[in-house]
Amino acid sequence: MDHAADAYRTDLMTITRFVLNEQSKHPESRGDFTILLNHIVLGCKFVCSAVNKAGLAKLIGLAGETNVQGEEQKKLDVLSNQVFVKALVSSGRTSILVSEEDEEAIFVEPKLRGKYCVVFDPLDGSSNIDCGVSIGTIFGIYVVKDGEPSLKDVLQPGKKMVAAGYCMYGSSCTFVISTGTGVHGFTLDPSLGEFILTHPDIKIPKKGKIYSVNEGNAKNWDGPTAKYVQKCKYPEDGSSPKSLRYIGSMVADVHRTLLYGGIFLYPADKKSPNGKLRVLYEVFPMSFLLEQAGGQSFTGKERALDLVPTKIHERSPIFLGSYDDVEEIKALYAAEGKQ
């Protein structure tokens, strides 16, 4: 046994240690945010474990059957939703929860209420589970204004979020978060059951070589999107064409964009005139992270984080990624606006 190596492993920056360090920079803080984040992290670990067993559970005939307690085995997205709702409510630090899986917002009972609202997609890309593609959880956190919590506390522009992040369940389990002072990535060490800081202060390259879009929708795109994708494939300035990478799981596509640079597009089209991705728990958290990493994000009309949602499951087109790449698409929309 290598005792020296084991001793080194206790010196690692775990997510708990990282958040406590951040907390110590704010002498006025009472640790509420730290407690909330610990509950989110616990939910992610649970879902990670469930995702890893999903194929096996199906293989040995569990999904859709009844277990010893007479409970029906739940589909992963339903299970993930319940895991996060319970984890967030039991933290005693939340007032309102908005989940992709629930039609209405959940108002926490008064005795368990805290000062935060959490918006989340418990398992984004869940249609990809059966083929082993990376899937993930996305979340954003708002602070409740004083007084009785109401939907107004959630229907705020993304720039009012105090934190956002995602957890990706792929070849490794990766947790990426920003509390408004840069973006940091942690990887789950299964032998310790701890998230370890592996990607401190992530910065997206200013310009990337990858574009990511569902080209199957091309016939329904608007002018600027079609022109932009054409420029990616056939650059007019003699540069090399961009590579196309599209997984179809937002967490995985955005994670790659964040690390390698480039642009991720889910534009509006004739079929989905308002776009397809949901504002509160997909567009806002990812835009928050990308801006914190030095990129930008745009809806086709405005900066994504300036958008003011009117419904909890509202949708929006989105273009996010490297600063220069998003500038190009903004210029195309501005040119069309002038015509």
Side-chain angles (χ1 to χ4, degrees):
M1 195 171 170
D2 187 348
H3 291 294
D6 283 348
Y8 164 73
R9 293 181 72 190
T10 59
D11 185 37
L12 297 167
M13 179 61 82
T14 65
I15 194 160
T16 313
R17 202 171 134 196
F18 179 84
V19 174
L20 286 169
N21 283 358
E22 288 296 304
Q23 186 190 317
S24 65
K25 295 176 190 169
H26 303 275
E28 74 289 351
S29 97
R30 302 206 336 261
D32 286 340
F33 183 74
T34 307
I35 291 167
L36 173 61
L37 211 57
N38 269 334
H39 279 73
I40 291 174
V41 166
L42 179 65
C44 291
K45 287 179 187 170
F46 191 100
V47 172
C48 178
S49 165
V51 165
N52 287 340
K53 291 184 204 142
L56 206 57
K58 198 166 176 189
L59 196 69
I60 52 183
L62 288 178
E65 290 195 0
T66 312
N67 65 12
V68 191
Q69 285 82 24
E71 299 167 331
E72 202 165 86
Q73 294 292 325
K74 296 199 172 58
K75 284 269 185 258
L76 259 182
D77 40 7
V78 179
L79 172 78
S80 308
N81 188 43
Q82 290 178 338
V83 165
F84 280 105
V85 169
K86 285 186 171 138
L88 291 166
V89 171
S90 67
S91 73
R93 299 298 182 278
T94 57
S95 280
I96 310 171
L97 310 177
V98 171
S99 165
E100 193 259 349
E101 293 282 327
D102 295 312
E103 213 163 309
E104 303 291 330
I106 296 168
F107 287 85
V108 179
E109 55 178 312
K111 67 171 194 274
L112 284 171
R113 268 183 202 162
K115 65 176 183 182
Y116 294 105
C117 303
V118 183
V119 292
F120 61 99
D121 184 344
L123 205 57
D124 184 73
S126 52
S127 59
N128 282 324
I129 293 167
D130 289 343
C131 59
V133 168
S134 297
I135 50 183
T137 299
I138 310 173
F139 64 91
I141 303 172
Y142 288 107
V143 174
V144 179
K145 298 181 179 118
D146 295 332
E148 191 66 18
S150 76
L151 275 186
K152 282 196 185 121
D153 293 312
V154 181
L155 297 173
Q156 300 188 64
K159 61 186 173 191
K160 293 275 175 68
M161 279 185 173
V162 292
Y166 60 81
C167 186
M168 185 173 76
Y169 315 111
S171 51
S172 58
C173 181
T174 315
F175 189 90
V176 174
I177 185 163
S178 173
T179 54
T181 52
V183 181
H184 304 280
F186 300 79
T187 305
L188 185 64
D189 179 338
S191 62
L192 293 174
E194 286 280 7
F195 279 104
I196 310 296
L197 181 65
T198 48
H199 296 73
D201 200 20
I202 299 170
K203 290 277 178 258
I204 185 170
K206 195 155 186 293
K207 191 170 176 59
K209 297 180 177 145
I210 296 172
Y211 73 105
S212 185
V213 65
N214 182 352
E215 290 227 32
N217 295 330
K219 77 177 176 101
N220 295 320
W221 286 343
D222 62 11
T225 301
K227 274 187 198 143
Y228 181 77
V229 171
Q230 186 70 4
K231 272 175 76 175
C232 290
K233 296 195 248 191
Y234 303 97
E236 291 151 10
D237 58 2
S239 59
S240 299
K242 287 190 189 314
S243 296
L244 169 66
R245 297 281 183 275
Y246 187 70
I247 298 164
S249 184
M250 190 190 191
V251 174
D253 279 314
V254 171
H255 186 66
R256 182 202 55 248
T257 305
L258 186 62
L259 296 184
Y260 299 167
I263 187 167
F264 170 82
L265 315 84
Y266 209 116
D269 58 30
K270 291 178 191 133
K271 213 169 51 181
S272 314
N274 298 321
K276 190 130 178 253
L277 298 176
R278 269 68 52 110
V279 172
L280 278 182
Y281 40 81
E282 290 175 328
V283 170
F284 280 171
M286 293 310 200
S287 300
F288 187 93
L289 289 165
L290 263 291
E291 282 200 9
Q292 283 294 321
Q296 54 175 337
S297 128
F298 178 62
T299 65
K301 292 191 176 88
E302 60 188 323
R303 172 191 175 208
L305 293 179
D306 289 340
L307 190 67
V308 182
T310 54
K311 301 194 292 287
I312 60 172
H313 297 297
E314 192 169 311
R315 297 171 192 262
S316 166
I318 184 70
F319 305 87
L320 52 79
S322 294
Y323 194 92
D324 290 355
D325 293 327
V326 178
E327 271 305 301
E328 276 186 47
I329 194 106
K330 280 163 78 172
L332 289 168
Y333 271 99
E336 190 190 54
K338 281 177 189 154
Q339 283 171 13

